[in-house]
Amino acid sequence: MTRFHAAIRRPGTRGTGTRGAGTRGAGFAAALMMLAASMAGCAPADTGLQPDTARHFQELVLGVSQAAAANDHPAALTALESLEADVASAAGSGQVSEERRRAIMTSITAVRTDLTTAIQAAAEAAAKAREHEAAAAAAAEAEKARAEAEAAAKAAQEQVSVVPPPAPVPAPAPEPARGSEGKGKNKNG
C-alpha cells in the first residue's frame, strides 16, 4: 500500500485551488462523509474491512478532506487516487470484502466527480480573471493614450497662443521739413 504522507501537502500550505466553493461545498462534504462512513468499523466479520486497513484508509480520507478544505483540489485528487490504489490492493489481498470495496469505490467516484468539478470551476474562474485583467489593462492603456493625446493637443494649443503675432514695423519718422534756412541765400550776417 502507498503511504499518504508523500501524496499530499499538509494544511496551512498554499494550494492551487480557489476560495469559495459555495453550494458545491455542501455536496462535496456529503461525498466525503459518505467516503468516511464507508471506512468506519473495526470488526472484520461485521464490516468486511480489516482494522489496520480501515485505519490506513481513514488516514487517506482525512488527507483528501484536509486538502479539499484548503482548496488544494489537485492534492486532494492525488490523495484520492492513492486511496483508490490502496483499496484495490487491499481487496486483492483479502483485507477488504468485495461488497465493501464496491461501496468504497462508489464513494471515491462521487468524491472524484466533485473534485474534478471544483478543478474545472477554478480553471474557469482563473480564465475569467485573466480576461478581466487584460480588459482592465487595455482600458487603462487606452485612457493613458487618450490623456497623452489630450495633453499634446493642449500643449500645441498653448504653443500657438503663447507666441505673439509679429509686431507691425513702425513707419519711418518723417524727415524734418527743409525750409530756406541754411542754404546760403538770405543769410544775415
Side-chain angles (χ1 to χ4, degrees), residues 26-39 61 65 107 111:
F28 184 67
L32 281 172
M33 294 286 286
M34 185 173 69
L35 181 59
S38 69
M39 304 295 167
V61 169
S65 299
S107 297
V111 171

Side-chain angles (χ1 to χ4, degrees), residues 7-140:
I8 189 165
R9 291 185 196 144
R10 290 291 179 207
T13 60
R14 299 199 102 199
T16 57
T18 59
R19 297 272 180 219
T23 58
R24 201 175 56 242
F28 184 67
L32 281 172
M33 294 286 286
M34 185 173 69
L35 181 59
S38 69
M39 304 295 167
C42 295
D46 296 335
T47 64
L49 186 60
Q50 296 293 320
D52 288 343
T53 304
R55 277 191 291 280
H56 174 68
F57 289 170
Q58 287 170 347
E59 285 179 20
L60 292 173
V61 169
L62 178 62
V64 172
S65 299
Q66 288 173 337
N71 288 314
D72 191 352
H73 300 115
L77 195 55
T78 299
L80 192 66
E81 289 167 356
S82 176
L83 173 62
E84 185 175 30
D86 286 2
V87 168
S89 175
S93 65
Q95 295 175 331
V96 178
S97 70
E98 182 58 27
E99 181 181 336
R100 191 59 175 269
R101 184 198 68 78
R102 280 194 305 268
I104 293 170
M105 295 307 285
T106 299
S107 297
I108 287 173
T109 300
V111 171
R112 178 178 286 113
T113 299
D114 287 345
L115 284 172
T116 302
T117 300
I119 289 169
Q120 289 171 343
E124 290 171 4
K128 284 182 181 179
R130 283 190 302 274
E131 289 174 8
H132 178 70
E133 288 173 4

